[in-house]
Amino acid sequence: MSDSNFAERSEEQVSGAKVIAQALKTQDVEYVFGIVGIPVTEIAIAAQQLGIKYIGMRNEQAACYAASAIGYLTGRPGVCLVVSGPGLIHALGGMANANMNCWPLLVIGGSPERNQETMGAFQEFPQAVRSSIYGRPGACYVDIPADFVNLQVNVSSIKHVERCMSPPISMAETSAVCTAASVIKNAKQPLLIIGKGAAYAHAEESIQKLVEQYKLPFLPTPMGKGVVPDNHPYCVGAARSRALQFADVIVLFGARLNWILHFGLPPRYQPDVKFIQVDICAEELGNNVKPAVTLLGDINAVTKQELASKKSLPMNYYTVFYHVQEQLPRDCFVVSEGANTMDIGRTVLQNYLPRHRLDAGTFGTMGVGLGFAIAAAMVAKDRSPGQRVICVEGDSAFGFSGMEVETICRYNLPIILLVVNNNGIYQGFDTDTWKEMLKFQDAASVVPPMCLLPNSHYEQVMTAFGGKGYFVQTPEELQKSLRQSLADTAKPSLINIMIEPQATRKTQDFHWLTRSNM
């Protein structure tokens, strides 16, 4: 090399972005997922110039899930490109998920200068108030020394605490609700006992609806009187002793089997009477008498669960998966996430090839589905053209990364999204029940935390970006829409499948896996 050429070579400059991109290329990185911003935009551009494919996502969390899935599918790490601060924080879920699943992943973040330290402060909720209203309400003792009472302090030194949040509304296990409904249905002489716990829970509307809809006789305890009016035709207060003695199934709504109710023992009760106990307090369940069914949760919410459990719609999980399995291509990727959707799908939807099933994995992560599906579709397009990706989502799980539908349409990926929609997390309510709830209070006050807006048209998210969308309610509609989606290789599809809001999995022999604290 001549002296002049050597000098020119020595003076040539290369950006740090290109050095990083080349390092990735050298490590056989094929795909980069992310959301660009200063200063990582240049890295994405440099990577594309070297032949690395960049997929711009809409959320760093989904980008990180996709990159981690690439690592599993290809054996080489996918890359997630993020900005510092919130961008990196959003990616933490994907990083934790990759670690738990043992999947290779590289996360690259841009880090700005640190010229100041930001300090935040928070205060715990007042423990005394919290202890008194959470769970079973009760007294809480707060000791204040005498000198505190007379102590003189500056007003500016007083730290004001925020109001303690209201107790969360807890719901009973779905399987227990279904069991209770079955026991009541088969009862010859059922009886509801309404205690003051039902009054405290403001369950009057739902309990009265339960009484009237299913013509159930009821007996109020002294402070449960008025939850359903004493002059109601189904009140048996005038025949209290006889009602207790001859009932074969008794449902306790916030009533304790203490001296007022003769401890639930003969001769006041039948020796083989079945008790169904509804209470907010776990310690109260099973006191004095072993109940046939226990429903731990907010009495108002549990009563609404019981009402909803008696209604039926055309399809449940098993019906859906039976018809899906009939049409699944043997070589397709199956991506699945959700609660019951994923658990039941694992047992019904079949795989015939290795590394063709992606779900929440070891970390049990929700929100991975669309990122995983995008990763699988990229690999399918490059290595097995014509191969389909079937992404089976619960409606709640779909909400974590639903805007990645735009990513799917932007890159025209061969993905069919199946959203199994039961209007909630684990369970929801139908439209009529939802409207009834909103008559009493606003949604934030009365809607159980596990419920989502009923009959949401998620298929319109897909059609908004140019894909095909279907809203189905019957097995025939499901079969037709899936057949059309599989035949259409030009566009991605989303099939929004409505099922019974209270549909659940079959009763499990080992409850430790699916037991909920709700």
Side-chain angles (χ1 to χ4, degrees), residues 221-419:
T221 64
M223 293 188 66
K225 293 169 71 68
V227 172
V228 182
D230 284 350
N231 63 352
H232 194 283
Y234 293 120
C235 181
V236 296
R240 181 180 187 274
S241 295
R242 189 172 180 83
L244 294 177
Q245 189 172 10
F246 288 96
D248 61 344
V249 172
I250 295 177
V251 185
L252 300 167
F253 282 106
R256 288 176 283 178
L257 291 175
N258 53 22
W259 63 273
I260 294 176
L261 291 176
H262 316 289
F263 305 103
L265 301 173
R268 292 284 190 170
Y269 298 83
Q270 293 288 327
D272 59 350
V273 63
K274 295 179 179 178
F275 285 99
I276 297 173
Q277 202 166 1
V278 185
D279 206 286
I280 192 68
C281 178
E283 291 81 358
E284 188 58 42
L285 300 176
N287 269 355
N288 297 321
V289 174
K290 181 180 180 180
V293 186
T294 59
L295 300 175
L296 177 63
D298 176 82
I299 294 170
N300 193 29
V302 173
T303 305
K304 290 174 181 176
Q305 283 182 278
E306 200 65 50
L307 283 165
S309 71
K310 295 179 180 292
K311 302 177 182 179
S312 61
L313 292 175
M315 290 192 289
N316 59 28
Y317 289 102
Y318 295 94
T319 305
V320 169
F321 290 134
Y322 171 81
H323 292 291
V324 171
Q325 175 58 36
E326 281 191 323
Q327 296 190 48
L328 276 187
R330 292 179 67 89
D331 66 342
C332 72
F333 286 91
V334 176
V335 180
S336 180
E337 68 168 337
N340 290 329
T341 299
M342 183 180 68
D343 293 340
I344 298 172
R346 282 171 169 168
T347 65
V348 180
L349 301 179
Q350 303 296 305
N351 279 93
Y352 305 97
L353 298 173
R355 297 172 298 281
H356 278 59
R357 169 76 67 141
L358 295 165
D359 65 19
T362 309
F363 210 28
T365 312
M366 292 298 103
V368 299
L370 272 68
F372 283 1
I374 290 168
M378 292 298 297
V379 172
K381 284 185 71 173
D382 288 349
R383 301 187 178 185
S384 302
Q387 192 174 28
R388 307 304 295 272
V389 177
I390 311 298
C391 183
V392 186
E393 299 272 299
D395 50 337
S396 172
F398 177 73
F400 280 85
S401 51
M403 279 305 295
E404 297 302 336
V405 167
E406 187 273 340
T407 306
I408 293 170
C409 291
R410 191 189 336 146
Y411 294 101
N412 198 29
L413 299 176
I415 297 173
I416 298 174
L417 287 166
L418 307 179
V419 179

Side-chain angles (χ1 to χ4, degrees), residues 395 421 423-424 429 434 438 451-458 498:
D395 50 337
N421 188 349
N423 300 336
F429 289 144
W434 180 273
L438 297 187
C451 292
L452 300 176
L453 192 67
N455 290 353
S456 294
H457 283 263
Y458 298 113
M498 301 306 302

Side-chain angles (χ1 to χ4, degrees), residues 50-97:
L50 292 178
I52 297 174
K53 294 184 178 180
Y54 174 79
I55 298 89
M57 305 285 278
R58 303 298 290 270
N59 185 285
E60 292 90 352
Q61 185 184 54
C64 205
Y65 292 146
S68 67
I70 286 291
Y72 171 67
L73 295 170
T74 69
R76 302 294 295 180
V79 170
C80 180
L81 192 63
V82 299
V83 296
S84 63
L88 179 59
I89 291 172
H90 289 169
L92 289 177
M95 295 165 69
N97 190 65

Side-chain angles (χ1 to χ4, degrees), residues 426-447:
Y426 293 105
Q427 59 197 357
F429 289 144
D430 60 20
T431 302
D432 291 339
T433 305
W434 180 273
K435 290 179 179 178
E436 284 298 316
M437 285 192 295
L438 297 187
K439 288 181 180 178
F440 312 134
Q441 295 184 60
D442 63 31
S445 302
V446 72
V447 172

